[in-house]
Amino acid sequence: STQLKYAMKSKGIDYQLVPPYNHRANLAERAIQTFKNHLKSGLCTVHPDFPIAQWDRLLPQAELTLNLLRKARSNPNLSASAYLFGQYDYNRMPLAPPGTKLVAHNKETKRESWGTNGDIGYYVGPSPEHYRCIKAYFPRIRTVRDVDTVTFIPHVVPFPKVSIEDQLRQA
């Protein structure tokens, strides 16, 4: 707006306008696009049985892993996460692929005498408040629990195959 331009000029603030629909030049737009791509790639690897309506439960891990991968702007020798919160301790808070199917062990004191030894759930992120625990979503009871003993049941993500014809055509 004209008022904003005038206010910036009066305060000696230098500015430069970006053409409309040019998202590459706007740092905020670029950051949003990076996060969306990171989240979508995580959603593509969830177990096929994962209740996709629970996608929002995967947001904290997506934010964490993106900040672990990105460099801090003020100190490029550190990750953004390390710059803000200190070094990430993978022993204290283990990570797994988002939405991985798992069986969480039910403690002997908490289950009925003929109850099952484990419940089927899905990994949704680390549990920062509990040592070596993860957060798992359980569709049967529709809740997230902190669990410490799990067995992951990974699924195979199909990897694109290159045929001999494709290689010859490329050569």
Side-chain angles (χ1 to χ4, degrees), residues 98-143:
T100 303
K101 193 172 191 176
L102 56 82
V103 177
H105 177 70
N106 292 331
K107 303 291 182 205
E108 193 174 316
T109 56
K110 294 287 185 180
R111 67 175 183 247
E112 299 170 5
S113 62
W114 290 95
T116 59
N117 289 0
D119 289 329
I120 301 281
Y122 299 93
Y123 173 85
V124 293
S127 179
E129 297 159 352
H130 299 89
Y131 182 73
R132 294 195 59 77
C133 289
I134 63 166
K135 290 190 179 293
Y137 174 75
F138 297 93
R140 187 176 63 81
I141 55 177
R142 294 188 183 119
T143 191

mmCIF file of all heavy atoms in Angstrom, residues 98-143:
data_model
loop_
_atom_site.group_PDB
_atom_site.id
_atom_site.type_symbol
_atom_site.label_atom_id
_atom_site.label_comp_id
_atom_site.label_asym_id
_atom_site.label_seq_id
_atom_site.Cartn_x
_atom_site.Cartn_y
_atom_site.Cartn_z
ATOM 1 N N PRO A 98 7.268 -41.871 10.010
ATOM 2 C CA PRO A 98 5.917 -41.551 10.477
ATOM 3 C C PRO A 98 4.885 -42.546 9.964
ATOM 4 O O PRO A 98 4.949 -42.997 8.835
ATOM 5 C CB PRO A 98 5.662 -40.153 9.909
ATOM 6 C CG PRO A 98 6.613 -40.013 8.780
ATOM 7 C CD PRO A 98 7.792 -40.862 9.104
ATOM 8 N N GLY A 99 3.932 -42.883 10.830
ATOM 9 C CA GLY A 99 2.835 -43.762 10.442
ATOM 10 C C GLY A 99 3.205 -45.228 10.330
ATOM 11 O O GLY A 99 2.447 -46.017 9.769
ATOM 12 N N THR A 100 4.352 -45.638 10.867
ATOM 13 C CA THR A 100 4.757 -47.045 10.811
ATOM 14 C C THR A 100 3.860 -47.868 11.727
ATOM 15 O O THR A 100 3.625 -47.497 12.875
ATOM 16 C CB THR A 100 6.228 -47.214 11.244
ATOM 17 O OG1 THR A 100 7.047 -46.410 10.411
ATOM 18 C CG2 THR A 100 6.672 -48.651 11.150
ATOM 19 N N LYS A 101 3.385 -48.987 11.216
ATOM 20 C CA LYS A 101 2.536 -49.872 12.020
ATOM 21 C C LYS A 101 3.393 -50.529 13.091
ATOM 22 O O LYS A 101 4.566 -50.853 12.855
ATOM 23 C CB LYS A 101 1.897 -50.929 11.117
ATOM 24 C CG LYS A 101 0.780 -51.700 11.756
ATOM 25 C CD LYS A 101 0.089 -52.571 10.731
ATOM 26 C CE LYS A 101 -1.183 -53.149 11.279
ATOM 27 N NZ LYS A 101 -1.916 -53.914 10.271
ATOM 28 N N LEU A 102 2.806 -50.746 14.265
ATOM 29 C CA LEU A 102 3.561 -51.351 15.363
ATOM 30 C C LEU A 102 2.634 -52.138 16.270
ATOM 31 O O LEU A 102 1.410 -52.003 16.211
ATOM 32 C CB LEU A 102 4.304 -50.274 16.159
ATOM 33 C CG LEU A 102 3.503 -49.108 16.765
ATOM 34 C CD1 LEU A 102 2.854 -49.465 18.083
ATOM 35 C CD2 LEU A 102 4.410 -47.922 16.953
ATOM 36 N N VAL A 103 3.247 -52.967 17.091
ATOM 37 C CA VAL A 103 2.543 -53.645 18.177
ATOM 38 C C VAL A 103 3.180 -53.148 19.464
ATOM 39 O O VAL A 103 4.391 -53.283 19.665
ATOM 40 C CB VAL A 103 2.665 -55.181 18.079
ATOM 41 C CG1 VAL A 103 1.993 -55.843 19.269
ATOM 42 C CG2 VAL A 103 2.079 -55.689 16.788
ATOM 43 N N ALA A 104 2.382 -52.519 20.319
ATOM 44 C CA ALA A 104 2.867 -51.995 21.594
ATOM 45 C C ALA A 104 2.592 -53.016 22.686
ATOM 46 O O ALA A 104 1.467 -53.513 22.822
ATOM 47 C CB ALA A 104 2.181 -50.675 21.918
ATOM 48 N N HIS A 105 3.617 -53.328 23.436
ATOM 49 C CA HIS A 105 3.508 -54.314 24.508
ATOM 50 C C HIS A 105 2.628 -53.789 25.632
ATOM 51 O O HIS A 105 2.810 -52.669 26.108
ATOM 52 C CB HIS A 105 4.901 -54.642 25.046
ATOM 53 C CG HIS A 105 4.903 -55.581 26.198
ATOM 54 N ND1 HIS A 105 4.578 -56.913 26.071
ATOM 55 C CD2 HIS A 105 5.177 -55.388 27.504
ATOM 56 C CE1 HIS A 105 4.665 -57.500 27.252
ATOM 57 N NE2 HIS A 105 5.030 -56.590 28.136
ATOM 58 N N ASN A 106 1.664 -54.602 26.046
ATOM 59 C CA ASN A 106 0.826 -54.281 27.207
ATOM 60 C C ASN A 106 1.497 -54.853 28.447
ATOM 61 O O ASN A 106 1.800 -56.046 28.501
ATOM 62 C CB ASN A 106 -0.576 -54.866 27.060
ATOM 63 C CG ASN A 106 -1.352 -54.202 25.948
ATOM 64 O OD1 ASN A 106 -1.135 -53.043 25.643
ATOM 65 N ND2 ASN A 106 -2.249 -54.940 25.329
ATOM 66 N N LYS A 107 1.733 -54.035 29.438
ATOM 67 C CA LYS A 107 2.393 -54.476 30.672
ATOM 68 C C LYS A 107 1.537 -55.530 31.372
ATOM 69 O O LYS A 107 0.311 -55.462 31.366
ATOM 70 C CB LYS A 107 2.630 -53.293 31.614
ATOM 71 C CG LYS A 107 3.430 -52.179 30.993
ATOM 72 C CD LYS A 107 4.853 -52.576 30.758
ATOM 73 C CE LYS A 107 5.634 -51.414 30.190
ATOM 74 N NZ LYS A 107 6.758 -51.813 29.428
ATOM 75 N N GLU A 108 2.213 -56.474 31.970
ATOM 76 C CA GLU A 108 1.533 -57.594 32.621
ATOM 77 C C GLU A 108 0.591 -57.127 33.723
ATOM 78 O O GLU A 108 -0.487 -57.685 33.915
ATOM 79 C CB GLU A 108 2.590 -58.538 33.203
ATOM 80 C CG GLU A 108 2.039 -59.873 33.615
ATOM 81 C CD GLU A 108 3.151 -60.815 34.035
ATOM 82 O OE1 GLU A 108 4.174 -60.875 33.346
ATOM 83 O OE2 GLU A 108 2.961 -61.485 35.070
ATOM 84 N N THR A 109 0.962 -56.077 34.423
ATOM 85 C CA THR A 109 0.131 -55.577 35.519
ATOM 86 C C THR A 109 -1.095 -54.816 35.020
ATOM 87 O O THR A 109 -2.055 -54.635 35.762
ATOM 88 C CB THR A 109 0.949 -54.644 36.436
ATOM 89 O OG1 THR A 109 1.504 -53.596 35.641
ATOM 90 C CG2 THR A 109 2.063 -55.412 37.120
ATOM 91 N N LYS A 110 -1.068 -54.378 33.762
ATOM 92 C CA LYS A 110 -2.166 -53.580 33.212
ATOM 93 C C LYS A 110 -3.141 -54.383 32.356
ATOM 94 O O LYS A 110 -4.189 -53.887 31.996
ATOM 95 C CB LYS A 110 -1.606 -52.429 32.359
ATOM 96 C CG LYS A 110 -0.832 -51.420 33.148
ATOM 97 C CD LYS A 110 -1.759 -50.586 33.973
ATOM 98 C CE LYS A 110 -1.010 -49.482 34.682
ATOM 99 N NZ LYS A 110 -1.873 -48.671 35.481
ATOM 100 N N ARG A 111 -2.810 -55.613 31.994
ATOM 101 C CA ARG A 111 -3.698 -56.377 31.121
ATOM 102 C C ARG A 111 -4.444 -57.441 31.923
ATOM 103 O O ARG A 111 -4.016 -57.856 33.001
ATOM 104 C CB ARG A 111 -2.925 -57.002 29.964
ATOM 105 C CG ARG A 111 -1.948 -58.065 30.358
ATOM 106 C CD ARG A 111 -1.316 -58.713 29.120
ATOM 107 N NE ARG A 111 -0.427 -59.777 29.522
ATOM 108 C CZ ARG A 111 0.885 -59.762 29.366
ATOM 109 N NH1 ARG A 111 1.466 -58.747 28.788
ATOM 110 N NH2 ARG A 111 1.610 -60.771 29.768
ATOM 111 N N GLU A 112 -5.559 -57.870 31.345
ATOM 112 C CA GLU A 112 -6.339 -58.932 31.982
ATOM 113 C C GLU A 112 -5.573 -60.248 31.866
ATOM 114 O O GLU A 112 -4.679 -60.386 31.032
ATOM 115 C CB GLU A 112 -7.699 -59.039 31.299
ATOM 116 C CG GLU A 112 -8.525 -57.759 31.403
ATOM 117 C CD GLU A 112 -9.754 -57.795 30.522
ATOM 118 O OE1 GLU A 112 -10.014 -58.835 29.900
ATOM 119 O OE2 GLU A 112 -10.430 -56.766 30.437
ATOM 120 N N SER A 113 -5.947 -61.237 32.680
ATOM 121 C CA SER A 113 -5.185 -62.488 32.695
ATOM 122 C C SER A 113 -5.184 -63.184 31.334
ATOM 123 O O SER A 113 -4.204 -63.815 30.965
ATOM 124 C CB SER A 113 -5.722 -63.424 33.780
ATOM 125 O OG SER A 113 -7.073 -63.756 33.510
ATOM 126 N N TRP A 114 -6.262 -63.062 30.566
ATOM 127 C CA TRP A 114 -6.307 -63.665 29.238
ATOM 128 C C TRP A 114 -6.309 -62.602 28.140
ATOM 129 O O TRP A 114 -6.649 -62.854 26.997
ATOM 130 C CB TRP A 114 -7.542 -64.574 29.095
ATOM 131 C CG TRP A 114 -7.413 -65.799 29.932
ATOM 132 C CD1 TRP A 114 -7.892 -65.990 31.193
ATOM 133 C CD2 TRP A 114 -6.718 -66.989 29.580
ATOM 134 N NE1 TRP A 114 -7.551 -67.224 31.664
ATOM 135 C CE2 TRP A 114 -6.836 -67.869 30.683
ATOM 136 C CE3 TRP A 114 -6.013 -67.413 28.471
ATOM 137 C CZ2 TRP A 114 -6.267 -69.135 30.694
ATOM 138 C CZ3 TRP A 114 -5.456 -68.689 28.487
ATOM 139 C CH2 TRP A 114 -5.581 -69.521 29.578
ATOM 140 N N GLY A 115 -5.901 -61.388 28.500
ATOM 141 C CA GLY A 115 -5.854 -60.290 27.531
ATOM 142 C C GLY A 115 -4.669 -60.432 26.583
ATOM 143 O O GLY A 115 -3.727 -61.200 26.819
ATOM 144 N N THR A 116 -4.707 -59.689 25.533
ATOM 145 C CA THR A 116 -3.618 -59.737 24.543
ATOM 146 C C THR A 116 -2.353 -59.099 25.106
ATOM 147 O O THR A 116 -2.417 -58.214 25.956
ATOM 148 C CB THR A 116 -4.013 -58.995 23.245
ATOM 149 O OG1 THR A 116 -4.309 -57.641 23.568
ATOM 150 C CG2 THR A 116 -5.214 -59.646 22.585
ATOM 151 N N ASN A 117 -1.222 -59.564 24.610
ATOM 152 C CA ASN A 117 0.059 -59.041 25.067
ATOM 153 C C ASN A 117 0.418 -57.711 24.401
ATOM 154 O O ASN A 117 1.345 -57.043 24.832
ATOM 155 C CB ASN A 117 1.175 -60.049 24.786
ATOM 156 C CG ASN A 117 1.076 -61.262 25.691
ATOM 157 O OD1 ASN A 117 0.182 -61.345 26.516
ATOM 158 N ND2 ASN A 117 1.984 -62.192 25.529
ATOM 159 N N GLY A 118 -0.282 -57.366 23.326
ATOM 160 C CA GLY A 118 0.039 -56.123 22.639
ATOM 161 C C GLY A 118 -1.150 -55.571 21.887
ATOM 162 O O GLY A 118 -2.117 -56.281 21.601
ATOM 163 N N ASP A 119 -1.073 -54.279 21.578
ATOM 164 C CA ASP A 119 -2.110 -53.598 20.798
ATOM 165 C C ASP A 119 -1.497 -53.078 19.507
ATOM 166 O O ASP A 119 -0.365 -52.601 19.497
ATOM 167 C CB ASP A 119 -2.696 -52.411 21.579
ATOM 168 C CG ASP A 119 -3.558 -52.841 22.747
ATOM 169 O OD1 ASP A 119 -4.180 -53.915 22.651
ATOM 170 O OD2 ASP A 119 -3.615 -52.092 23.747
ATOM 171 N N ILE A 120 -2.269 -53.131 18.428
ATOM 172 C CA ILE A 120 -1.830 -52.610 17.133
ATOM 173 C C ILE A 120 -2.001 -51.091 17.136
ATOM 174 O O ILE A 120 -3.049 -50.569 17.527
ATOM 175 C CB ILE A 120 -2.661 -53.215 15.977
ATOM 176 C CG1 ILE A 120 -2.536 -54.729 15.969
ATOM 177 C CG2 ILE A 120 -2.279 -52.599 14.649
ATOM 178 C CD1 ILE A 120 -1.285 -55.252 15.369
ATOM 179 N N GLY A 121 -0.957 -50.397 16.704
ATOM 180 C CA GLY A 121 -1.007 -48.944 16.636
ATOM 181 C C GLY A 121 -0.100 -48.433 15.529
ATOM 182 O O GLY A 121 0.421 -49.212 14.724
ATOM 183 N N TYR A 122 0.094 -47.128 15.514
ATOM 184 C CA TYR A 122 0.925 -46.475 14.494
ATOM 185 C C TYR A 122 1.801 -45.430 15.161
ATOM 186 O O TYR A 122 1.334 -44.656 15.993
ATOM 187 C CB TYR A 122 0.049 -45.822 13.420
ATOM 188 C CG TYR A 122 -0.799 -46.826 12.705
ATOM 189 C CD1 TYR A 122 -2.093 -47.099 13.129
ATOM 190 C CD2 TYR A 122 -0.303 -47.536 11.618
ATOM 191 C CE1 TYR A 122 -2.866 -48.040 12.491
ATOM 192 C CE2 TYR A 122 -1.077 -48.479 10.972
ATOM 193 C CZ TYR A 122 -2.351 -48.726 11.414
ATOM 194 O OH TYR A 122 -3.117 -49.673 10.790
ATOM 195 N N TYR A 123 3.060 -45.395 14.758
ATOM 196 C CA TYR A 123 4.016 -44.432 15.289
ATOM 197 C C TYR A 123 3.663 -43.028 14.809
ATOM 198 O O TYR A 123 3.469 -42.816 13.623
ATOM 199 C CB TYR A 123 5.418 -44.812 14.817
ATOM 200 C CG TYR A 123 6.470 -43.798 15.162
ATOM 201 C CD1 TYR A 123 7.093 -43.807 16.404
ATOM 202 C CD2 TYR A 123 6.855 -42.828 14.249
ATOM 203 C CE1 TYR A 123 8.056 -42.883 16.716
ATOM 204 C CE2 TYR A 123 7.822 -41.892 14.560
ATOM 205 C CZ TYR A 123 8.422 -41.926 15.789
ATOM 206 O OH TYR A 123 9.373 -40.999 16.095
ATOM 207 N N VAL A 124 3.569 -42.071 15.760
ATOM 208 C CA VAL A 124 3.274 -40.694 15.382
ATOM 209 C C VAL A 124 4.361 -39.722 15.823
ATOM 210 O O VAL A 124 4.296 -38.547 15.466
ATOM 211 C CB VAL A 124 1.892 -40.223 15.889
ATOM 212 C CG1 VAL A 124 0.779 -40.975 15.189
ATOM 213 C CG2 VAL A 124 1.778 -40.331 17.386
ATOM 214 N N GLY A 125 5.362 -40.170 16.582
ATOM 215 C CA GLY A 125 6.454 -39.281 16.946
ATOM 216 C C GLY A 125 7.122 -39.683 18.238
ATOM 217 O O GLY A 125 6.656 -40.576 18.956
ATOM 218 N N PRO A 126 8.244 -39.010 18.542
ATOM 219 C CA PRO A 126 8.921 -39.300 19.808
ATOM 220 C C PRO A 126 8.170 -38.682 20.978
ATOM 221 O O PRO A 126 7.352 -37.783 20.797
ATOM 222 C CB PRO A 126 10.287 -38.633 19.619
ATOM 223 C CG PRO A 126 10.030 -37.516 18.671
ATOM 224 C CD PRO A 126 8.936 -37.999 17.756
ATOM 225 N N SER A 127 8.452 -39.170 22.152
ATOM 226 C CA SER A 127 7.837 -38.630 23.365
ATOM 227 C C SER A 127 8.916 -37.874 24.136
ATOM 228 O O SER A 127 9.714 -38.483 24.849
ATOM 229 C CB SER A 127 7.261 -39.757 24.215
ATOM 230 O OG SER A 127 6.690 -39.238 25.383
ATOM 231 N N PRO A 128 8.965 -36.555 23.987
ATOM 232 C CA PRO A 128 10.063 -35.799 24.603
ATOM 233 C C PRO A 128 10.063 -35.807 26.128
ATOM 234 O O PRO A 128 11.095 -35.590 26.737
ATOM 235 C CB PRO A 128 9.877 -34.383 24.066
ATOM 236 C CG PRO A 128 8.506 -34.316 23.527
ATOM 237 C CD PRO A 128 8.060 -35.711 23.239
ATOM 238 N N GLU A 129 8.934 -36.092 26.750
ATOM 239 C CA GLU A 129 8.859 -36.056 28.211
ATOM 240 C C GLU A 129 9.208 -37.394 28.856
ATOM 241 O O GLU A 129 9.377 -37.467 30.075
ATOM 242 C CB GLU A 129 7.450 -35.636 28.632
ATOM 243 C CG GLU A 129 7.101 -34.239 28.171
ATOM 244 C CD GLU A 129 5.613 -34.013 28.113
ATOM 245 O OE1 GLU A 129 4.845 -34.975 28.287
ATOM 246 O OE2 GLU A 129 5.227 -32.862 27.865
ATOM 247 N N HIS A 130 9.312 -38.456 28.071
ATOM 248 C CA HIS A 130 9.584 -39.788 28.606
ATOM 249 C C HIS A 130 10.847 -40.350 27.963
ATOM 250 O O HIS A 130 11.010 -40.270 26.749
ATOM 251 C CB HIS A 130 8.413 -40.737 28.331
ATOM 252 C CG HIS A 130 7.140 -40.293 28.965
ATOM 253 N ND1 HIS A 130 6.260 -39.452 28.339
ATOM 254 C CD2 HIS A 130 6.615 -40.557 30.180
ATOM 255 C CE1 HIS A 130 5.226 -39.230 29.130
ATOM 256 N NE2 HIS A 130 5.424 -39.888 30.255
ATOM 257 N N TYR A 131 11.705 -40.938 28.773
ATOM 258 C CA TYR A 131 12.968 -41.483 28.285
ATOM 259 C C TYR A 131 12.728 -42.726 27.426
ATOM 260 O O TYR A 131 12.063 -43.659 27.858
ATOM 261 C CB TYR A 131 13.877 -41.823 29.470
ATOM 262 C CG TYR A 131 15.227 -42.347 29.049
ATOM 263 C CD1 TYR A 131 16.172 -41.483 28.514
ATOM 264 C CD2 TYR A 131 15.538 -43.688 29.177
ATOM 265 C CE1 TYR A 131 17.416 -41.947 28.125
ATOM 266 C CE2 TYR A 131 16.776 -44.171 28.787
ATOM 267 C CZ TYR A 131 17.712 -43.287 28.263
ATOM 268 O OH TYR A 131 18.931 -43.761 27.860
ATOM 269 N N ARG A 132 13.270 -42.713 26.211
ATOM 270 C CA ARG A 132 13.219 -43.825 25.261
ATOM 271 C C ARG A 132 11.796 -44.335 25.018
ATOM 272 O O ARG A 132 11.550 -45.531 24.907
ATOM 273 C CB ARG A 132 14.128 -44.965 25.692
ATOM 274 C CG ARG A 132 15.593 -44.566 25.651
ATOM 275 C CD ARG A 132 16.557 -45.709 25.726
ATOM 276 N NE ARG A 132 16.436 -46.696 24.689
ATOM 277 C CZ ARG A 132 16.875 -46.550 23.428
ATOM 278 N NH1 ARG A 132 17.424 -45.428 23.052
ATOM 279 N NH2 ARG A 132 16.753 -47.520 22.554
ATOM 280 N N CYS A 133 10.855 -43.410 24.950
ATOM 281 C CA CYS A 133 9.468 -43.754 24.656
ATOM 282 C C CYS A 133 9.053 -43.076 23.354
ATOM 283 O O CYS A 133 9.687 -42.125 22.912
ATOM 284 C CB CYS A 133 8.539 -43.290 25.770
ATOM 285 S SG CYS A 133 8.707 -44.227 27.295
ATOM 286 N N ILE A 134 8.009 -43.610 22.750
ATOM 287 C CA ILE A 134 7.457 -43.011 21.545
ATOM 288 C C ILE A 134 5.967 -42.770 21.754
ATOM 289 O O ILE A 134 5.361 -43.335 22.661
ATOM 290 C CB ILE A 134 7.681 -43.912 20.305
ATOM 291 C CG1 ILE A 134 6.944 -45.242 20.477
ATOM 292 C CG2 ILE A 134 9.149 -44.126 20.034
ATOM 293 C CD1 ILE A 134 6.827 -46.041 19.196
ATOM 294 N N LYS A 135 5.401 -41.939 20.900
ATOM 295 C CA LYS A 135 3.957 -41.723 20.902
ATOM 296 C C LYS A 135 3.366 -42.595 19.799
ATOM 297 O O LYS A 135 3.848 -42.589 18.675
ATOM 298 C CB LYS A 135 3.628 -40.257 20.643
ATOM 299 C CG LYS A 135 4.011 -39.354 21.799
ATOM 300 C CD LYS A 135 3.460 -37.969 21.591
ATOM 301 C CE LYS A 135 3.813 -37.079 22.748
ATOM 302 N NZ LYS A 135 3.184 -37.430 23.981
ATOM 303 N N ALA A 136 2.339 -43.336 20.147
ATOM 304 C CA ALA A 136 1.681 -44.219 19.188
ATOM 305 C C ALA A 136 0.177 -43.965 19.221
ATOM 306 O O ALA A 136 -0.406 -43.774 20.295
ATOM 307 C CB ALA A 136 1.976 -45.687 19.503
ATOM 308 N N TYR A 137 -0.424 -43.957 18.038
ATOM 309 C CA TYR A 137 -1.872 -43.789 17.912
ATOM 310 C C TYR A 137 -2.501 -45.171 17.787
ATOM 311 O O TYR A 137 -2.048 -45.996 16.990
ATOM 312 C CB TYR A 137 -2.225 -42.936 16.698
ATOM 313 C CG TYR A 137 -3.709 -42.854 16.462
ATOM 314 C CD1 TYR A 137 -4.513 -42.063 17.271
ATOM 315 C CD2 TYR A 137 -4.315 -43.587 15.458
ATOM 316 C CE1 TYR A 137 -5.873 -41.999 17.077
ATOM 317 C CE2 TYR A 137 -5.681 -43.519 15.250
ATOM 318 C CZ TYR A 137 -6.455 -42.730 16.068
ATOM 319 O OH TYR A 137 -7.806 -42.683 15.871
ATOM 320 N N PHE A 138 -3.557 -45.406 18.564
ATOM 321 C CA PHE A 138 -4.252 -46.692 18.556
ATOM 322 C C PHE A 138 -5.675 -46.486 18.045
ATOM 323 O O PHE A 138 -6.504 -45.893 18.741
ATOM 324 C CB PHE A 138 -4.262 -47.302 19.961
ATOM 325 C CG PHE A 138 -2.881 -47.615 20.452
ATOM 326 C CD1 PHE A 138 -2.174 -46.689 21.214
ATOM 327 C CD2 PHE A 138 -2.267 -48.809 20.118
ATOM 328 C CE1 PHE A 138 -0.887 -46.966 21.644
ATOM 329 C CE2 PHE A 138 -0.983 -49.094 20.546
ATOM 330 C CZ PHE A 138 -0.294 -48.163 21.304
ATOM 331 N N PRO A 139 -5.967 -46.958 16.825
ATOM 332 C CA PRO A 139 -7.288 -46.728 16.241
ATOM 333 C C PRO A 139 -8.426 -47.363 17.035
ATOM 334 O O PRO A 139 -9.529 -46.838 17.064
ATOM 335 C CB PRO A 139 -7.199 -47.355 14.856
ATOM 336 C CG PRO A 139 -5.778 -47.653 14.608
ATOM 337 C CD PRO A 139 -5.080 -47.654 15.913
ATOM 338 N N ARG A 140 -8.162 -48.502 17.681
ATOM 339 C CA ARG A 140 -9.225 -49.203 18.409
ATOM 340 C C ARG A 140 -9.764 -48.349 19.549
ATOM 341 O O ARG A 140 -10.968 -48.308 19.795
ATOM 342 C CB ARG A 140 -8.702 -50.540 18.940
ATOM 343 C CG ARG A 140 -9.760 -51.420 19.573
ATOM 344 C CD ARG A 140 -9.195 -52.760 19.992
ATOM 345 N NE ARG A 140 -8.174 -52.664 21.009
ATOM 346 C CZ ARG A 140 -8.391 -52.521 22.319
ATOM 347 N NH1 ARG A 140 -9.633 -52.454 22.758
ATOM 348 N NH2 ARG A 140 -7.407 -52.459 23.173
ATOM 349 N N ILE A 141 -8.878 -47.625 20.234
ATOM 350 C CA ILE A 141 -9.317 -46.784 21.353
ATOM 351 C C ILE A 141 -9.271 -45.295 20.996
ATOM 352 O O ILE A 141 -9.602 -44.455 21.829
ATOM 353 C CB ILE A 141 -8.485 -47.065 22.618
ATOM 354 C CG1 ILE A 141 -6.991 -46.902 22.346
ATOM 355 C CG2 ILE A 141 -8.780 -48.428 23.173
ATOM 356 C CD1 ILE A 141 -6.109 -47.081 23.556
ATOM 357 N N ARG A 142 -8.856 -44.994 19.768
ATOM 358 C CA ARG A 142 -8.816 -43.625 19.229
ATOM 359 C C ARG A 142 -8.067 -42.651 20.133
ATOM 360 O O ARG A 142 -8.559 -41.566 20.449
ATOM 361 C CB ARG A 142 -10.234 -43.102 18.982
ATOM 362 C CG ARG A 142 -10.953 -43.835 17.908
ATOM 363 C CD ARG A 142 -12.260 -43.135 17.597
ATOM 364 N NE ARG A 142 -13.002 -43.877 16.605
ATOM 365 C CZ ARG A 142 -14.199 -44.402 16.799
ATOM 366 N NH1 ARG A 142 -14.805 -44.248 17.958
ATOM 367 N NH2 ARG A 142 -14.798 -45.066 15.835
ATOM 368 N N THR A 143 -6.880 -43.042 20.544
ATOM 369 C CA THR A 143 -6.077 -42.168 21.396
ATOM 370 C C THR A 143 -4.594 -42.403 21.152
ATOM 371 O O THR A 143 -4.198 -43.403 20.558
ATOM 372 C CB THR A 143 -6.420 -42.374 22.877
ATOM 373 O OG1 THR A 143 -5.813 -41.341 23.641
ATOM 374 C CG2 THR A 143 -5.950 -43.718 23.379
#
